[in-house]
Amino acid sequence: MSVGSGVPVIEGRKLAKSFRGPGKQLVQALDDVSFAVMPGTLTALVGPDGAGKTTLIRLMAGLMIADAGELTVLGFDVKGDPQAIQDRIGYMPQRFGLYEDLSVQENLDLYADMHGVSAQDRRARYPMLMEMTALGPFTRRLAGKLSGGMKQKLGLACTLVRAPDLLLLDEPTVGVDPLSRRELWDIVSRLVREEGVPVLLSTAYLDEAARCEHVMVLHQGKLLSQGPPSAVSGLADGRVFDVQSDGGEPARELQARLLDEPDVLDASPEAGRVRIVRREGAPEDPGAGSAGLRFSPVPARFEDGFMVLLQPNAGQAGPAKDDAADMKLEHPPAADAGQPVIEVDKVVKRFGDFVAVDQISFQIRRGEIFGLLGPNGAGKTTTFRMLCGLLRPTSGGLKIAGADLKRSPASARQKIGYVAQKFSLYAQLSVAENLDFFASAYGLYGARRRQRIDWAMAQFQLGPIANQLGGQLPGGYKQRLATAAALLHEPDILFLDEATSGADPLARREFWRRITALAQQGVTVIVTTHFMVEAEYCDRIAILDSGRVLAQGSPAEIRARGATASNAQPTMEDAFIAVIEAARAPSPNERAA
Amino acid sequence: MTAVPPSPLAAKARRVAALIRKEGWQIVRDPSSFAIGVVLPLMLILLFGYAMSLDVKHVPIAVVLEDPSAQGREIAASFQLSSYFNTRVTRSMAEAQEEMLSGEIDGIVRVPADFARRVAQGDGQVQLIVNGIDGNTARIVEAYAAAAVAQSGARLDAEGQDDSASGGQATVESQLWFNSANDSRYFLVPGLIVLIITLIGAFMTSMVVAREWERGTFEALFVTPVRTDEILLGKTVPYFLLGLGGMLLSMAAAKFMFHVPIRGSLTALMGVSMLYLLVSVATGLLISSSLKSQFLSSQVTLLVTFMPALMLSGFIYDLRSVPLAIRLISYLVPARYYVILLQTLFLAGDVWSVIWPNALILAVVAVVLLALTRRATRKSLG
Amino acid sequence: MLASLRRILALIRKEILAVLKDARTRNMLLIQPVLQCLLFGYAATLDLNNVPYAVLDRDRSTASSALLAKLDGSGVFHRIANLTQADQMKRLIDNQTVLLVIQIDPDFQRRLSAGEDAPVQMIADGRNSNTAGAALGYAGAAVDSFNADWRADHGLPPSPITVSPRAWYNANLETRWNLIPALVGTITLMSTLMLSALSVAREREEGTFDQLLVTPFRPVEIMAGKAIPAMMIGVVQATNALLVAQLWFRIPFAGSYVTLYVGLILFLLAAVGIGLFVSSIAATMQQAMLYAFVTIMPFSLLSGLTTPISSMPAVMQDFTLINPLRYAIDLVHRVYLEGVGLDRLTPDLWPMAIIAAVTLSAAAWMFRNRLE
């Protein structure tokens, strides 16, 4: 590329940017940020929600101008000549930027015309892009009809209609299933490796950051660290352990218990065991005082280092972990654990000719956390909507808490709580008004309503923001408010649809702590998620694809299906991909035909 | 990679062409553009052309014939013969009043019991009671009724009563220039063209820039070599063309369906219509790019373009009779100038002393609005 | 039952809060009707009071001066030119400098004195034939008045038959008396229909509708919770418009408020029914708004607000039978200006009741069956 290897492609010095917040107060989105991105590298920008990632990328793309500091991209001053930069870079915003009422081909052509790509260049470039993105068979399909993963790939293809001098990607993998995520990564790394295009991307997946050559960690507008990922993981060196219980204690409960230990900075379930990061200055021997637990040191990962880096700053991002754990219900569901509360029997859902859900069956017992996994378009959402009574099955039996949701709706729905994928409370109403409305909707009134709202305000620390409008809350608070509203009436069953999509690692940790605490009190929880590590929190998982259940069982059982000769200890993600690919591979007779 | 870099102007033209093509696909695929671009104009043409009429016809009235003499029957007959009235003859005033109260009739003509006797004395009186709620209609009814009564008076005179003593009087010979048949379609249909162009030009455009902001498509488009003026041109041209279609449709309807004459030159008519269309498109674009919300900008557009075009353009209501403050506001309504142009070009002819100043005002407004839109659209997320 | 009522009440509270919290929506709903009433009250008048005219008086006699004095004194006409030649006329009319030219022949006074009819030519600009027609009407009245004076002054008997007109309910035949009460219905139709059409579409678009459906709400309860707030806002709007009519324009109220509000509530029920039906078939807010607009347009044009229903062709008159605004405007007129009671309003009340019943049950049916 034209830029010499020694000169940074992007260089920022003391960048600052602030916005007017909802209450007219100034919010500092970026504060004194200085960095350099070298040519030919893959750079990741990581940090919790609201850290300033999108703002920084928009500054680089010349879509915003910094309040202070200097920023040069490809040698051009952003403030002076944003157009010169926009002529040369590729940029994919968080919200695709595709025209949904245009076909795949029309979207590509539009961007090729914008970049002045000649007809002969197109002939060379299009087949390559099609091969890269596997969108070849769908060129005439409208972009709006593509699945989430395909949209992202098309968005990427549109920015690559000509070889850019620099590629900026804002959270390209949010809401994308593991399979598509892997494909997207293949494209990006090929681009850097083979074409030498420098790429900067922001991500909430810390394992993705670990694959980059250069990582910048942003937190509350400040750059906490920049350098190779090993610099971050190095922070946790010698403090990471794999913990296994001799007594066969479930990983989820062990994780919850370990998180409460003062010496433990972070704990997460993984492959039936628990991975912990110990605090700085904790006693040498991790096993001291914990009988029946085996601690084995393991090499630190990027994520461990990230937790170490952020933990001292976590004060505002999330409540102290003890609060999250103390999710005491006043009237926990009746203690008949083990009874099936959800029975799905050969349920089919057709939309016209299209079979979205094809004869699925499963049972969920009281107090279980049940995970519904699957690639985009597998039928998860349809199944979920049928379980909540939002859709009527075409055929088959569906019983929730012993009732048919369609027949005796009011009383059956009284027993369920639902947290949707996207924030779905009233944006125009304040936090308190939202809670008040949903309490009334669930038939709570008088002193009881007051009491439950107070409970929710206290449990989710919503008191200080009670008068803020729902729509203006930061992502993490929206999530808490939605969960609080779904728990006001103390439901027996809680439905969570991709509730952690796009959330940062800290918020996810906090979220799961609440969910496991609820499950311990007998609440049945059904979740869908694209984070395979979260599947480790579940008691049982079902993997769906093309409307069918491909695999069902405990996390350990599912993981076992991913084991190969070369990979004896597969992660949940390995297993997931193995299951899907095995099912998608053409059967022997098909191959013969 | 590029073999021969195209000239900047050619690249610019290619980008604009691509944007226009893109907008075209979106128009074709969006059912709501069909609704605004085709269904609404057709509906308006039908409503204005066929349904709406200010001509008063078949007004239901009752003639209360308290004096069944020849003179009295003569009066009743003249109402029964008139096509302006649907006449029912009754003997009972109480019955007629009851019908008036229940809203079945809009007027009562009372021929009192002593009518014939008083006519003989030269002092015949017919009472007319109209429902005055719709003052305009009532006034027309009064005039028609007076005419009907005068006619029967004339017939009575002709029947040999001596008229030497009655003397002469001033009579009115009226001519209605430009619309001698006094057909209300002649002014409703040009007014309809104003509404249709306003609707397609502004209402539809008001959503298209906001839509790109709301759907986040601008963000990706901005980070390409495209320039702001190219984006605006790419928005203006397709909606201008679409509006042109609606304009031709309504002009054709005016000429061939409603037979409104076009007395001015077609070139001038097309020219000023395109100017007004440009003003409408620019208004929609300006509102849309300033508000960045489809819902708000469409509401605001209705409020500042469509309603004034209906109420403050002089198309139905005479602007000379409104209070000064409202008249001053009406000078800010571009539709006002276009209505004058349309009425002149359709019905009067090429009156250049009317056409030039009004067309100039429209041109200036279009330029100002486009310049403001250019300022309101910046490749920046702020 | 009680639980159901509580839920509906909660939904009503939430709807009203959501509408009133946003300053832009609040202004749109509460201030805008008042402004519209004021603006249209002044702008939408068919009464003329400032007609520019020119005179070509070739007689220049006492009679012609008396006639012109009648015109000038009418308060309607405003003489801006005295012409000397006929060819000056065209320019004045073409340029819209004058609306009317009056031409008096040289023998005007002579003919009148001789007991002959003396014609007065009036040439009007017919580009807006409605205004021109009205102006000719006013001018004709001035001529009639001149004739009566002339006969009296010259000892002639008055004409054998005269008409003594009297207008009920609106003695001075003011357009405003007709228009403002009609606006009460039109404005409330526009906003309640839009509001109810958008309320469900907005929830659907923002994802809150699903959240509502997983709570114990029944479809009927959701409908009631959506319909009642829209109607409440409609009542407030109607009241605002009525206040403008009475306090600002001083149009006397002849009937009973109870009757008026009973009729209005029935009308609002029909409007909300249409709105909810639109809402149940629209997938997005944009669609809901468009459908609502496409519905409101013919309803307001075919309501008798701008042009009388009796002048429409039979087919269109039949179409107005399904237009609730037609009945509402008639009802408001008759209660406000005529002061009639409920007993005389049944022809307006039952069609609105039927429209409300049909649209509300259609909307309820759509809601129940469109969850797929």
Side-chain angles (χ1 to χ4, degrees):
Chain A
M1 294 275 95
S2 57
V3 187
S5 64
V7 185
V9 276
I10 313 175
E11 191 171 15
R13 266 188 306 272
K14 297 189 174 300
L15 286 175
K17 177 81 189 168
S18 54
F19 298 101
R20 291 261 164 225
K24 304 274 176 239
Q25 80 279 22
L26 223 49
V27 178
Q28 198 71 34
L30 289 176
D31 187 10
D32 195 23
V33 173
S34 302
F35 62 93
V37 172
M38 288 313 200
T41 55
L42 179 54
T43 306
L45 192 55
V46 295
D49 267 347
K53 301 192 292 285
T54 298
T55 307
L56 186 55
I57 292 185
R58 284 176 172 175
L59 285 179
M60 294 171 185
L63 289 169
M64 286 179 177
I65 299 298
D67 300 336
E70 278 163 53
L71 179 64
T72 51
V73 177
L74 300 169
F76 296 95
D77 176 24
V78 175
K79 217 176 278 180
D81 193 1
Q83 188 61 58
I85 296 157
Q86 290 165 355
D87 286 353
R88 290 168 176 81
I89 65 169
Y91 166 61
M92 185 161 93
Q94 219 176 84
R95 293 166 64 197
F96 323 120
L98 295 173
Y99 290 95
E100 306 224 325
D101 36 12
L102 260 54
S103 71
V104 169
Q105 187 65 53
E106 287 161 354
N107 268 293
L108 276 176
D109 285 341
L110 175 68
Y111 280 93
D113 285 329
M114 289 300 114
H115 288 289
V117 182
S118 68
Q120 86 219 43
D121 285 348
R122 284 182 211 202
R123 276 196 292 279
R125 193 100 186 150
Y126 280 0
M128 192 195 83
L129 289 174
M130 286 302 147
E131 192 239 280
M132 208 172 182
T133 55
L135 284 169
F138 310 108
T139 47
R140 302 185 61 175
R141 190 177 288 187
L142 293 188
K145 297 254 156 72
L146 298 176
S147 73
M150 281 158 92
K151 276 184 193 163
Q152 293 288 36
K153 281 190 275 183
L154 175 57
L156 195 54
C158 285
T159 63
L160 296 176
V161 286
R162 56 92 174 80
D165 293 352
L166 165 71
L167 189 57
L168 301 176
L169 307 171
D170 194 1
E171 304 221 4
T173 50
V174 162
V176 171
D177 65 69
L179 280 169
S180 310
R181 204 154 67 92
R182 207 171 61 165
E183 289 162 359
L184 270 167
W185 265 93
D186 285 345
I187 300 174
V188 170
S189 39
R190 247 174 67 187
L191 210 64
V192 181
R193 217 172 43 242
E194 292 169 17
E195 300 196 27
V197 179
V199 177
L200 181 138
L201 55 83
S202 65
T203 181
Y205 290 89
L206 297 178
D207 57 326
E208 290 181 351
R211 299 169 61 170
C212 297
E213 289 146 312
H214 190 80
V215 181
M216 293 158 59
V217 181
L218 264 182
H219 183 59
Q220 294 178 354
K222 288 198 162 53
L223 197 58
L224 294 187
S225 149
Q226 59 175 323
S230 57
V232 173
S233 48
L235 293 171
D237 266 350
R239 287 154 65 177
V240 187
F241 294 87
D242 204 39
V243 187
Q244 205 165 4
S245 159
D246 291 334
E249 185 179 8
R252 196 174 75 209
E253 279 160 34
L254 178 59
Q255 180 250 357
R257 200 155 62 81
L258 285 170
L259 256 184
D260 291 340
E261 303 258 334
D263 287 346
V264 175
L265 180 73
D266 182 41
S268 53
E270 188 178 292
R273 298 179 300 276
V274 177
R275 184 187 182 89
I276 61 163
V277 182
R278 306 188 69 224
R279 278 184 201 282
E280 203 174 1
E284 280 302 304
D285 177 17
S290 331
L293 295 181
R294 274 182 291 132
F295 289 79
S296 31
V298 285
R301 289 191 206 138
F302 181 83
E303 181 167 356
D304 304 322
F306 180 82
M307 296 309 272
V308 171
L309 195 60
L310 252 64
Q311 216 49 285
N313 297 296
Q316 194 221 326
K321 52 190 179 182
D322 315 280
D323 297 324
D326 188 30
M327 280 295 297
K328 280 276 168 288
L329 290 176
E330 290 167 16
H331 303 278
D336 54 348
Q339 285 293 83
V341 282
I342 295 181
E343 290 168 85
V344 176
D345 184 27
K346 292 194 183 118
V347 163
V348 176
K349 179 69 197 174
R350 278 196 205 91
F351 297 104
D353 290 341
F354 174 66
V355 185
V357 167
D358 191 8
Q359 300 241 1
I360 61 165
S361 304
F362 53 80
Q363 289 194 343
I364 303 170
R365 288 183 291 273
R366 184 169 301 290
E368 256 189 333
I369 301 182
F370 187 83
L372 217 48
L373 311 182
N376 299 111
K380 281 188 321 261
T381 307
T382 307
T383 309
F384 215 76
R385 291 174 66 81
M386 285 193 287
L387 289 175
C388 302
L390 291 171
L391 271 182
R392 210 191 299 258
T394 310
S395 67
L398 195 66
K399 277 218 166 83
I400 307 288
D404 182 339
L405 265 192
K406 270 296 173 189
R407 285 229 189 85
S408 58
S411 59
R413 280 192 244 131
Q414 191 70 42
K415 293 194 178 123
I416 67 171
Y418 171 64
V419 180
Q421 187 173 343
K422 130 187 177 209
F423 178 70
S424 62
L425 303 187
Y426 294 98
Q428 321 93 301
L429 298 189
S430 72
V431 169
E433 286 159 354
N434 264 302
L435 289 178
D436 195 57
F437 171 68
F438 281 101
S440 309
Y442 281 109
L444 302 174
Y445 58 94
R448 174 91 184 123
R449 179 168 69 193
R450 200 56 272 148
Q451 189 190 343
R452 286 304 298 164
I453 292 173
D454 288 346
W455 172 87
M457 291 270 195
Q459 289 290 346
F460 290 86
Q461 289 96 34
L462 297 171
I465 51 157
N467 292 319
Q468 279 194 37
L469 295 191
Q472 294 174 343
L473 297 176
Y477 279 99
K478 278 185 182 166
Q479 170 65 59
R480 273 197 240 163
L481 173 59
T483 319
L487 288 171
L488 281 169
H489 58 297
E490 300 187 274
D492 296 1
I493 308 166
L494 189 58
F495 290 93
L496 305 165
D497 191 6
E498 288 190 29
T500 51
S501 178
D504 66 75
L506 291 177
R508 285 192 340 242
R509 217 54 114 238
E510 181 201 325
F511 174 82
W512 276 103
R513 224 161 135 59
R514 291 207 165 94
I515 298 308
T516 47
L518 287 171
Q520 271 169 358
Q521 295 173 70
V523 177
T524 312
V525 183
I526 300 97
V527 295
T528 68
T529 179
H530 281 320
F531 289 96
M532 291 302 123
V533 286
E534 291 185 348
E536 300 279 1
Y537 289 100
C538 299
D539 292 294
R540 283 191 312 126
I541 309 165
I543 296 180
L544 261 68
D545 192 26
S546 312
R548 291 166 196 268
V549 178
L550 300 183
Q552 204 178 151
S554 69
E557 287 162 6
I558 299 291
R559 244 182 287 113
R561 298 187 54 166
T564 58
S566 59
N567 187 357
Q569 290 225 320
T571 62
M572 188 59 84
E573 186 153 341
D574 296 334
F576 175 84
I577 291 173
V579 167
I580 302 281
E581 282 183 342
R584 284 186 182 180
S587 65
N589 353 343
E590 269 177 292
R591 225 172 293 158
Chain B
M1 259 188 84
T2 322
V4 186
S7 75
L9 202 66
K12 208 175 179 59
R14 202 150 72 165
R15 285 195 296 264
V16 173
L19 286 172
I20 293 173
R21 205 159 44 233
K22 174 218 102 185
E23 209 69 37
W25 281 320
Q26 289 190 301
I27 292 173
V28 172
R29 284 175 198 154
D30 182 2
S32 64
S33 36
F34 180 77
I36 305 177
V38 179
V39 177
L40 267 179
L42 285 178
M43 195 166 85
L44 284 173
I45 289 173
L46 274 172
L47 288 179
F48 273 79
Y50 289 119
M52 291 181 62
S53 162
L54 288 165
D55 308 331
V56 175
K57 266 181 267 178
H58 311 301
V59 179
I61 60 158
V63 173
V64 180
L65 203 54
E66 290 175 352
D67 174 16
S69 66
Q71 287 92 335
R73 286 202 306 276
E74 177 62 43
I75 296 281
S78 63
F79 278 93
Q80 281 170 314
L81 288 173
S82 162
S83 68
Y84 298 124
F85 302 105
N86 267 347
T87 312
R88 229 176 55 74
V89 179
T90 169
R91 287 285 167 82
S92 148
M93 186 63 188
E95 191 185 313
Q97 277 179 335
E98 178 57 33
E99 284 177 341
M100 184 94 156
L101 281 174
S102 61
E104 286 166 51
I105 55 171
D106 283 335
I108 301 175
V109 178
R110 183 184 191 187
V111 183
D114 57 355
F115 180 68
R117 188 172 52 78
R118 293 186 66 170
V119 168
Q121 296 167 358
D123 180 27
Q125 278 224 343
V126 175
Q127 261 179 34
L128 172 68
I129 301 168
V130 292
N131 182 334
I133 288 180
D134 182 352
N136 190 51
T137 307
R139 203 173 290 127
I140 297 170
V141 168
E142 279 185 4
Y144 289 156
V149 170
Q151 254 176 12
S152 46
R155 271 199 298 273
L156 287 175
D157 281 350
E159 280 161 23
Q161 315 232 335
D162 98 290
D163 63 351
S164 54
S166 65
Q169 55 180 345
T171 56
V172 174
E173 285 176 358
S174 59
Q175 298 173 20
L176 208 53
W177 277 14
F178 315 129
N179 184 3
S180 48
N182 192 6
D183 187 341
S184 64
R185 261 184 212 167
Y186 276 32
F187 79 93
L188 284 177
V189 170
L192 160 76
I193 295 175
V194 179
L195 292 187
I196 289 180
I197 294 185
T198 311
L199 210 58
I200 305 184
F203 189 53
M204 203 152 157
T205 334
S206 74
M207 296 201 242
V208 295
V209 178
R211 185 169 66 192
E212 301 237 17
W213 283 109
E214 277 184 350
R215 295 188 184 167
T217 42
F218 260 166
E219 199 175 341
L221 199 65
F222 281 173
V223 188
T224 67
V226 78
R227 308 297 198 269
T228 316
D229 48 351
E230 294 162 12
I231 293 180
L232 285 181
L233 206 56
K235 290 280 176 201
T236 311
V237 172
Y239 293 96
F240 184 82
L241 290 178
L242 196 75
L244 215 56
M247 184 182 105
L248 292 176
L249 189 73
S250 36
M251 298 234 176
K255 176 97 183 119
F256 301 109
M257 273 169 82
F258 305 124
H259 307 289
V260 178
I262 300 179
R263 296 191 178 120
S265 66
L266 207 58
T267 327
L269 184 59
M270 290 298 154
V272 299
S273 298
M274 284 187 203
L275 269 184
Y276 181 68
L277 180 58
L278 196 60
V279 168
S280 297
V281 171
T283 313
L285 283 179
L286 177 61
I287 294 172
S288 195
S289 30
S290 318
L291 292 176
K292 298 178 184 164
S293 141
Q294 290 188 73
F295 174 66
L296 263 181
S297 58
S298 61
Q299 294 287 305
V300 169
T301 304
L302 276 186
L303 219 63
V304 305
T305 64
F306 188 74
M307 295 309 279
L310 189 67
M311 309 296 296
L312 291 177
S313 65
F315 139 53
I316 297 181
Y317 304 108
D318 189 70
L319 288 173
R320 283 175 287 232
S321 298
V322 302
L324 184 67
I326 309 267
R327 207 173 328 148
L328 290 179
I329 295 174
S330 79
Y331 284 109
L332 298 174
V333 177
R336 176 198 171 115
Y337 307 100
Y338 185 47
V339 164
I340 295 177
L341 285 165
L342 276 183
Q343 289 182 343
T344 301
L345 282 167
F346 264 99
L347 302 175
D350 287 334
V351 185
W352 296 109
S353 55
V354 172
I355 297 170
W356 283 121
N358 286 296
L360 190 70
I361 292 174
L362 287 183
V364 169
V365 172
V367 169
V368 169
L369 287 174
L370 285 173
L372 286 175
T373 314
R374 173 71 181 74
R375 275 182 55 133
T377 316
R378 265 178 301 148
K379 283 173 67 172
S380 161
L381 302 174
Chain C
M1 190 59 204
L2 193 64
S4 176
L5 271 180
R6 278 212 183 87
R7 281 195 292 266
I8 294 175
L9 223 61
L11 196 52
I12 293 175
R13 246 168 61 94
K14 180 229 108 187
E15 290 288 316
I16 300 233
L17 255 178
V19 166
L20 295 188
K21 269 201 112 142
D22 181 32
R24 287 196 296 204
T25 324
R26 197 171 50 218
N27 291 343
M28 197 86 135
L29 290 174
L30 301 180
I31 300 184
Q32 190 211 326
V34 175
L35 289 180
Q36 276 193 27
C37 269
L38 285 174
L39 181 67
F40 295 163
Y42 284 116
T45 171
L46 293 165
D47 312 331
L48 301 180
N49 57 31
N50 187 13
V51 177
Y53 82 106
V55 176
L56 178 56
D57 182 359
R58 292 181 161 147
D59 195 28
R60 297 185 177 275
S61 60
T62 40
S64 69
S65 304
L67 175 65
L68 294 176
K70 279 282 174 205
L71 280 165
D72 289 335
S74 66
V76 173
F77 296 95
H78 168 55
R79 196 190 321 177
I80 60 167
N82 290 308
L83 308 180
T84 50
Q85 286 166 316
D87 57 5
Q88 294 167 325
M89 207 149 61
K90 183 167 161 40
R91 197 178 49 84
L92 288 177
I93 290 194
D94 277 356
N95 291 342
Q96 300 192 318
T97 318
V98 297
L99 183 68
L100 193 71
V101 176
I102 293 181
Q103 184 178 328
I104 302 173
D105 289 340
D107 55 354
F108 181 69
Q109 182 160 0
R110 189 192 58 72
R111 292 180 72 121
L112 281 179
S113 309
E116 294 169 32
D117 279 355
V120 176
Q121 275 120 43
M122 297 192 183
I123 296 114
D125 177 358
R127 272 171 274 191
N128 185 331
S129 57
N130 194 50
T131 309
L136 285 174
Y138 285 112
V143 171
D144 287 346
S145 154
F146 162 79
N147 281 333
D149 285 0
W150 178 268
R151 294 174 90 105
D153 292 349
H154 294 77
L156 294 168
S159 56
I161 310 172
T162 54
V163 178
S164 62
R166 192 152 56 90
W168 280 9
Y169 315 130
N170 179 5
N172 297 322
L173 299 181
E174 284 185 58
T175 319
R176 201 171 281 156
W177 285 33
N178 174 42
L179 185 84
I180 306 273
L183 277 181
V184 173
T186 314
I187 290 174
T188 49
L189 175 83
M190 285 195 198
S191 29
T192 48
L193 205 152
M194 276 279 183
L195 205 63
S196 48
L198 283 177
S199 69
V200 179
R202 169 176 287 141
E203 296 227 19
R204 218 175 248 141
E205 201 161 299
E206 291 177 357
T208 50
F209 200 56
D210 281 354
Q211 197 72 52
L212 211 54
L213 287 175
V214 298
T215 62
F217 274 109
R218 290 191 192 89
V220 178
E221 293 165 5
I222 295 180
M223 289 235 330
K226 291 278 172 194
I228 295 168
M231 288 174 64
M232 285 162 71
I233 288 165
V235 167
V236 174
Q237 286 189 329
T239 309
N240 282 353
L242 286 169
L243 288 175
V244 172
Q246 282 185 65
L247 302 180
W248 186 263
F249 289 114
R250 304 264 166 207
I251 304 170
F253 187 82
S256 120
Y257 288 103
V258 178
T259 313
L260 186 64
Y261 278 92
V262 166
L264 277 178
I265 284 169
L266 204 56
F267 164 62
L268 287 171
L269 209 56
V272 164
I274 297 170
L276 287 176
F277 181 72
V278 165
S279 194
S280 69
I281 54 174
T284 62
M285 278 171 77
Q286 193 192 339
Q287 275 182 23
M289 202 163 59
L290 273 171
Y291 295 158
F293 186 66
V294 171
T295 318
I296 288 172
M297 186 77 99
F299 277 178
S300 47
L301 290 179
L302 295 179
S303 63
L305 170 74
T306 39
T307 61
I309 290 175
S310 60
S311 306
M312 295 172 190
V315 188
M316 292 293 179
Q317 290 200 29
D318 290 346
F319 173 78
T320 66
L321 296 178
I322 61 159
N323 180 359
L325 186 58
R326 174 214 159 117
Y327 304 105
I329 287 181
D330 190 59
L331 181 131
V332 178
H333 274 154
R334 304 195 58 207
V335 177
Y336 195 115
L337 300 172
E338 300 180 18
V340 301
L342 275 179
D343 51 326
R344 291 195 186 278
L345 291 171
T346 32
D348 286 330
L349 295 175
W350 68 259
M352 290 199 289
I354 288 180
I355 295 168
V358 169
T359 51
L360 284 171
S361 36
W365 188 85
M366 288 292 291
F367 276 124
R368 200 157 316 153
N369 290 277
R370 230 204 121 217
L371 296 181
E372 309 296 290

